[in-house]
Amino acid sequence: MVFAVLFPGQGAQFRGMGADVFGRYPGLTRFACDLLGYDLVALCRDDPDGVLAQTRHTQPALYTVNALHMFERAHHEQRQADYYLGHSLGEYNALLAAGVFDFETGLRLVKKRAELMAAAHGGGMTAVMDTPEPQLREIFAADGVAGVDVAGFNTDQQLVIAAPDNVLHAAHIALKERGVRFAPLRVSAPFHSRYMAPARDEFEEFLRGFTFAQPQVPVIANVTGRAHRPGEMVRTLSEQLVEPVRWTDSIRHLLAADPELECEEVGGQSLLRMVARIRKATPVANSEVRN
């Protein structure tokens, strides 16, 4: 039976996270604080300045907490994964778990990624419910709303769109007039869209300064919904900033290998709920998975 371990991304943070693991890994925790230049434990425990939800802080904090939970999981010799995958930021924890880089390298990558994404502004993201992509594009075309990108395929019932503020405002009007349910996300920029191209270019150059090992366990890439391919780590991770998170394709890829796919989420339940919705909407198939 195929078993996958899932890592959540930005949006899964909460005040008090990490309280159960910081004390068990004091060395790694101190290192993270030193590299980041602030008290990560206090940030997660108290969020004294209300900045935990800011991209610059959210991503390194969540990467660290996810990593410590992963180390705790390994310490207790829990069931070994056949696949790792993470949602957006969570992909870095999946790559860490698969041995592609060590904790320090991952934290340096995430810190840079967070800084670049935080520097982007003038846009946002919105979750749209029960409206397939073709229908969504028809709605926007009918109302002359141009410049909306699909930034995430979370389930068949939920897409995420991204655009500059004025475009996103027009998109909201078009959706509201047709009774389509939507929920703006609390982010500062249109992540996973064409508008992140400048950040993508800078991040790609940064990534070229690192060496990546081959995954010891397959890691499903957000960009392709398939396992990372040899020699394409830099391109795939940089493209993740401008391409949609193909979570539905990723889970269906594993369901094709084993309809009885079992999953465990590190530190939460939101991804497991997505998996349950995707499974419910997926016809049973007996094809073999191909990387």
Side-chain angles (χ1 to χ4, degrees):
M1 183 174 294
V2 172
F3 176 61
V5 174
L6 320 176
F7 297 91
Q10 192 166 346
Q13 73 277 359
F14 60 92
R15 190 173 69 175
M17 71 177 188
D20 56 338
V21 286
F22 284 136
R24 294 184 60 82
Y25 298 90
L28 286 173
T29 300
R30 282 195 302 271
F31 175 82
C33 292
D34 290 344
L35 191 153
L36 296 172
Y38 53 82
D39 189 338
L40 182 63
V41 177
L43 174 71
C44 292
R45 181 186 61 225
D46 306 317
D47 192 15
D49 301 312
V51 298
L52 182 59
Q54 294 178 7
T55 296
R56 186 183 302 272
H57 294 97
T58 304
Q59 294 189 16
L62 194 56
Y63 167 83
T64 300
V65 172
N66 280 348
L68 298 185
H69 279 134
M70 182 202 75
F71 293 143
E72 188 75 349
R73 187 181 185 281
H75 175 74
H76 290 290
E77 297 183 345
Q78 295 183 16
R79 183 177 176 185
Q80 293 188 345
D82 299 304
Y83 288 90
Y84 290 114
L85 60 164
H87 194 283
S88 192
L89 166 74
E91 188 167 331
Y92 288 81
N93 288 108
L95 293 168
L96 170 66
V100 172
F101 44 66
D102 59 16
F103 175 78
E104 175 184 351
T105 297
L107 186 56
R108 291 187 185 278
L109 296 178
V110 167
K111 179 175 181 289
K112 181 67 171 180
R113 180 182 188 268
E115 290 169 352
L116 291 171
M117 293 177 73
H121 56 84
M125 305 174 75
T126 294
V128 181
M129 273 60 80
D130 301 314
T131 311
E133 182 184 9
Q135 182 182 349
L136 200 58
R137 297 203 178 281
E138 287 177 5
I139 291 172
F140 294 149
D143 283 21
V145 179
V148 176
D149 283 358
V150 175
F153 297 86
N154 286 341
T155 67
D156 293 292
Q157 296 79 33
Q158 185 189 90
L159 303 181
V160 176
I161 59 174
D165 288 327
N166 62 323
V167 175
L168 203 57
H169 178 68
H172 289 171
I173 293 173
L175 295 173
K176 188 173 182 179
E177 287 181 347
R178 291 165 176 80
V180 175
R181 292 188 303 123
F182 63 91
L185 305 182
R186 291 191 296 175
V187 298
S188 58
F191 303 145
H192 300 292
S193 76
R194 74 185 88 170
Y195 304 103
M196 297 299 294
R200 183 267 315 275
D201 296 343
E202 188 172 344
F203 192 48
E204 182 175 0
E205 187 64 27
F206 182 75
L207 287 167
R208 294 192 185 283
F210 295 85
T211 299
F212 301 102
Q214 292 304 312
Q216 297 169 8
V217 173
V219 177
I220 304 300
N222 287 179
V223 169
T224 62
R226 299 291 185 271
H228 275 273
R229 299 177 65 87
E232 296 185 6
M233 190 66 63
V234 169
R235 183 193 65 80
T236 304
L237 289 180
S238 59
E239 286 297 307
Q240 194 211 50
L241 294 183
V242 298
E243 292 289 333
V245 175
R246 299 187 181 279
W247 190 253
T248 305
D249 286 349
S250 299
I251 298 303
R252 286 222 165 97
H253 180 58
L254 299 185
L255 287 170
D258 184 357
E260 301 301 317
L261 169 72
E262 292 187 359
C263 296
E264 174 185 325
E265 181 175 350
V266 172
Q269 296 287 320
S270 60
L271 298 181
L272 290 178
R273 287 192 287 270
M274 288 185 193
V275 170
R277 294 187 187 104
I278 295 167
R279 187 195 302 273
K280 185 176 181 180
T282 303
V284 176
N286 294 313
S287 58
E288 294 185 359
V289 67
R290 295 187 296 274
N291 295 338

